[in-house]
Amino acid sequence: MPIQATEKIWMDGEYVDWDEARVHVLTPSLHYGWGVFEGIRAYERADGASAVFRLTDHMERLFRSAKIYHMEPPVSLEGAVKVTKDLVAMNGVPTCYVRPIVYLGFGEMGLNPLNSPVRMAIACWPWGAYLGEDAFETGVRVKVSSWRRLDANIIPPAAKATGQYLNSSLAKAEAVKAGYDEGILLNPNGYVTDGSGENVFLVRDGVLCTPPLAAGCLAGITRASILQIAADEGIRVREADMVRTDLYLADEAFFTGTAAEVVPIREVDDRVLGDPGPITRRLQEVFTAATRGRDERYRDWLEPVT
C-alpha cells in the first residue's frame, strides 16, 4: 500500500523532516536483515481524541525482540511510548499506523553485529485497510503457501525481526501472483502457523480455535485481544495444532493483526467457507468498538495521545 508522507519522523532523539530521515547504504541491517520492528495503530476515539491501541504492550514486545537480537534500544521503554504519542500529535494524524524500528547503524560490516551502533526510528502515517476496504465485509481468498514457516531453531518466531519477513514476503507474493489475497504458512511439521502478516483463527461447532505459539506463530497483540474478547463474550476457545483440512472444514475463519485488524476468510485453496459467520462478526464488532473507545471493558487498551 502506498505511504502518505507526514511531517516528522523521530530518529535517535531528534524529530527530523520526513524526507531527511535517511540511513547509510552500508548499514548492516540492509545487508543482513538485522533489525526488529513493530506495527501499531492509533485511532480517533468516539470522543474525538486520539489514542494508541495497546501501545505499551507493543513497545514491550519490541524491546523483547531487541533482546533476542542482542540490541539495546537507544531510548527507554517509557521514552519510546512518550515519543510515539508526541509524534502522532505532532503530525496531526489521530488515526494512523505507527512503525518503530531498531536497527544497526553504519560503522561496521560483516556478519558479526555486536560492534555496530544500535539505532532507532519511529514513523507514523495514515494507512487504510491492509487487505482492502471490502475485506471486512466480504472476506478474503487464501492459499496455503508452498513455503514453510521458519523453524523456531532457525530464526526465533518470538521476535518480530526484519530479515525473517523474507519468509512471509515469499508467501505473500506467491499468493498474490496466483490470484489470492493472502497466504497461510504451515510449519515444518505440517501444522498451520499463520498468515504472511496475521494470526489465523477458525470456528468449528461453536468453538474458536487458533494455533498455539509453540506452532511458530507470532504472539500477536491483536491475537491476544481477540482471545480476551472471546472469553468475555462466553465463546469457547481452544489453542491447538491444526492441519490444512481443518481450514477447509471450518464453519468460519478469520485473520487478526494490527495492519489487518479482524478480517474474515471466505475461501481457502478454492474451498468456500461462505459469508462471515456470527462469531466472526461479533468479534469484529467488539474489537472495533474497543479500538474506538466505545466499549468500557477495554478502556485500558487505549493510551491517549496528549
Side-chain angles (χ1 to χ4, degrees):
M1 297 174 63
I3 295 178
Q4 179 181 335
T6 52
E7 185 178 349
K8 295 290 185 180
I9 292 176
W10 182 89
M11 297 186 73
D12 295 323
E14 297 182 22
Y15 294 95
V16 301
D17 291 342
W18 180 279
D19 290 336
E20 296 301 316
R22 302 171 182 171
V23 296
H24 198 283
V25 70
L26 293 182
T27 170
S29 291
L30 175 62
H31 294 258
Y32 307 120
W34 195 277
V36 296
F37 70 99
E38 276 297 316
I40 311 169
R41 280 193 187 266
Y43 296 91
E44 188 171 358
R45 299 184 311 195
D47 61 6
S50 178
V52 187
F53 186 71
R54 302 194 70 164
L55 172 57
T56 299
D57 292 330
H58 277 284
M59 284 301 181
E60 286 175 346
R61 187 173 66 180
L62 179 73
F63 276 64
R64 291 195 299 270
S65 295
K67 181 177 182 179
I68 289 173
Y69 278 89
H70 301 293
M71 292 190 291
E72 182 71 33
V75 65
S76 68
L77 173 66
E78 295 76 13
V81 168
K82 183 179 186 305
V83 164
T84 300
K85 294 178 180 181
D86 291 346
L87 186 69
V88 171
M90 184 181 301
N91 283 321
V93 281
T95 297
C96 64
Y97 183 83
V98 181
R99 169 54 56 88
I101 183 168
V102 180
Y103 59 99
L104 300 180
F106 170 75
E108 289 274 340
M109 185 56 73
L111 291 177
N112 177 13
L114 301 178
N115 296 321
S116 295
V118 178
R119 303 294 186 220
M120 184 173 177
I122 304 175
C124 67
W125 63 89
W127 212 27
Y130 176 66
L131 292 175
E133 295 295 339
D134 294 337
F136 292 104
E137 292 300 322
T138 62
V140 292
R141 297 180 65 244
V142 173
K143 178 187 189 299
V144 174
S145 181
S146 67
W147 298 100
R148 294 295 179 95
R149 176 60 79 215
L150 292 163
D151 182 270
N153 288 309
I154 295 176
I155 291 181
K160 193 173 175 71
T162 58
Q164 75 190 55
Y165 273 76
L166 273 174
N167 184 218
S168 296
S169 290
L170 284 168
K172 180 71 173 185
E174 177 186 58
V176 171
K177 287 176 71 67
Y180 297 86
D181 300 303
E182 185 56 283
I184 286 179
L185 293 98
L186 309 181
N187 67 21
N189 294 320
Y191 294 117
V192 174
T193 304
D194 47 20
S196 69
E198 311 89 5
N199 291 110
V200 63
F201 287 80
L202 64 81
V203 178
R204 187 79 183 273
D205 298 327
V207 180
L208 182 65
C209 304
T210 195
L213 298 182
C217 51
L218 182 71
I221 305 297
T222 309
R223 175 186 184 272
S225 302
I226 290 299
L227 290 173
Q228 182 63 57
I229 291 169
D232 294 342
E233 291 291 309
I235 299 168
R236 291 172 57 201
V237 176
R238 186 164 64 94
E239 294 183 62
D241 285 327
M242 303 185 298
V243 295
R244 68 169 69 196
T245 51
D246 291 320
L247 296 170
Y248 299 164
L249 300 176
D251 299 322
E252 307 175 37
F254 58 89
F255 284 127
T256 66
T258 295
E261 299 176 286
V262 180
V263 172
I265 297 170
R266 72 170 185 268
E267 190 177 310
V268 181
D269 286 348
D270 305 314
R271 278 78 169 183
V272 176
L273 305 185
D275 293 333
I279 290 179
T280 301
R281 284 296 188 217
R282 180 56 182 162
L283 293 171
Q284 271 188 316
E285 178 185 343
V286 177
F287 179 77
T288 299
T291 60
R292 272 72 172 183
R294 298 196 300 266
D295 193 320
E296 290 294 331
R297 294 176 294 177
Y298 309 110
R299 275 286 190 178
D300 61 345
W301 287 351
L302 295 172
E303 301 188 37
V305 172
T306 55

